[in-house]
C-alpha cells in the first residue's frame, strides 16, 4: 500500500464536503457541519499554492482518505501568538475523512510524510511543528504522539481544555 500526499484540487471539494459532515468528525473538527457553498468559498482560494494555508489530500493507492493543512504561525498571529503562544514554526490540522480508513494508523503515516515533505523547504527556525488537540480527542492524540509529537503546553480554546503537541526537526525547542 502506497501513501501519497498531493495538493488539494477543486475536484476534491465534493469529497471534502462529505468528509467535513461525517459523523466521526463532528465532535472535534467540524462540530456544526458545513454547506457545500461554504466549502467552495473557504477552500477555493487555497487551491493553486498561492494561499497562506497549504492544503493537502492524503491518498492510499490513489484513494483519497485524509486531509491536512499547514501554515506558518507568524502568518496568523491571532492563532500563533494569541492562542498557542508561538510565532515560530508551523501548525498542522488534519483528519481522516473516509471512515473506512480509521484505525489503520494512517494519520500517523500522513503526519510523518508531511513533515518529511515540507521540512527541507523550511528555514531552521520553522522546523518546529505544532498540533493542537482537544484533550478529549484521544484517537488524534495517539496518532500525533506515534508521529513523534510530544505534549508541550495546556491551554483553553473555545472553552475546551486543549494541549499543544510539538515535534522538532533540527531545531532546539525553547519556550517562546
Amino acid at each position: 500500500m502506497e501513501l501519497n500526499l498531493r495538493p488539494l484540487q477543486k475536484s476534491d471539494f465534493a469529497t471534502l464536503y462529505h468528509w467535513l459532515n461525517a459523523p466521526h468528525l463532528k465532535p472535534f473538527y467540524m462540530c456544526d457541519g458545513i454547506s457545500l457553498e461554504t466549502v467552495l468559498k473557504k477552500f477555493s482560494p487555497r487551491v493553486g499554492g498561492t494561499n497562506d494555508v497549504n492544503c493537502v489530500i492524503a491518498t492510499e493507492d490513489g484513494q483519497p482518505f485524509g486531509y491536512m493543512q499547514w501554515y506558518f504561525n507568524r502568518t496568523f498571529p491571532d492563532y500563533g501568538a494569541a492562542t498557542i503562544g508561538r510565532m515560530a514554526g508551523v501548525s498542522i490540522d488534519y483528519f481522516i475523512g473516509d471512515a473506512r480508513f480509521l484505525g489503520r494508523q494512517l494519520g500517523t503515516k500522513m503526519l510523518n510524510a508531511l513533515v518529511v515533505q515540507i521540512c527541507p523547504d523550511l528555514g531552521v527556525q520553522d522546523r518546529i511543528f505544532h498540533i493542537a488537540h482537544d484533550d478529549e480527542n484521544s484517537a488524534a492524540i495517539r496518532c500525533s504522539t506515534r508521529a513523534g509529537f510530544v505534549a508541550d503546553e495546556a491551554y483553553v480554546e473555545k472553552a475546551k481544555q486543549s494541549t499543544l503537541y510539538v515535534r522538532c526537526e533540527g531545531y532546539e525547542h525553547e519556550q517562546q
Side-chain angles (χ1 to χ4, degrees):
M1 294 184 205
E2 185 177 352
L3 183 131
N4 285 301
L5 303 180
R6 63 168 174 76
L8 178 71
Q9 303 166 357
K10 288 185 179 186
S11 60
D12 295 314
F13 290 168
T15 299
L16 196 55
Y17 163 74
H18 289 292
W19 287 351
L20 289 169
N21 287 289
H24 71 278
L25 291 181
K26 293 248 184 224
F28 303 110
Y29 200 86
M30 190 57 64
C31 301
D32 298 325
I34 191 169
S35 69
L36 181 56
E37 179 182 342
T38 303
V39 167
L40 296 173
K41 182 187 279 187
K42 180 176 182 173
F43 292 95
S44 288
R46 297 179 181 186
V47 172
T50 59
N51 193 278
D52 290 331
V53 179
N54 301 279
C55 301
V56 177
I57 296 292
T59 66
E60 183 183 61
D61 295 332
Q63 176 69 39
F65 71 86
Y67 171 84
M68 291 185 290
Q69 62 185 32
W70 66 273
Y71 42 89
F72 292 102
N73 290 335
R74 67 179 162 276
T75 305
F76 297 97
D78 287 348
Y79 179 75
T83 302
I84 65 169
R86 309 296 166 89
M87 289 301 287
V90 167
S91 283
I92 300 170
D93 303 308
Y94 71 96
F95 60 78
I96 302 293
D98 189 328
R100 297 173 300 169
F101 289 79
L102 292 171
R104 296 174 43 202
Q105 297 190 11
L106 289 170
T108 299
K109 291 176 184 175
M110 69 184 202
L111 280 173
N112 284 326
L114 181 69
V115 169
V116 167
Q117 180 177 329
I118 67 175
C119 203
D121 295 327
L122 300 176
V124 68
Q125 75 281 3
D126 288 319
R127 292 181 183 165
I128 180 168
F129 299 90
H130 305 89
I131 297 176
H133 288 301
D134 178 316
D135 286 353
E136 294 181 14
N137 194 349
S138 58
I141 291 167
R142 280 191 308 275
C143 172
S144 294
T145 56
R146 281 193 306 261
F149 287 80
V150 177
D152 190 63
E153 189 172 338
Y155 68 99
V156 175
E157 183 177 14
K158 298 178 184 175
K160 289 189 168 193
Q161 188 63 42
S162 299
T163 300
L164 183 65
Y165 290 79
V166 175
R167 175 175 165 176
C168 301
E169 295 294 317
Y171 174 84
E172 191 61 36
H173 172 60
E174 296 177 12
Q175 287 285 359
Q176 300 176 13

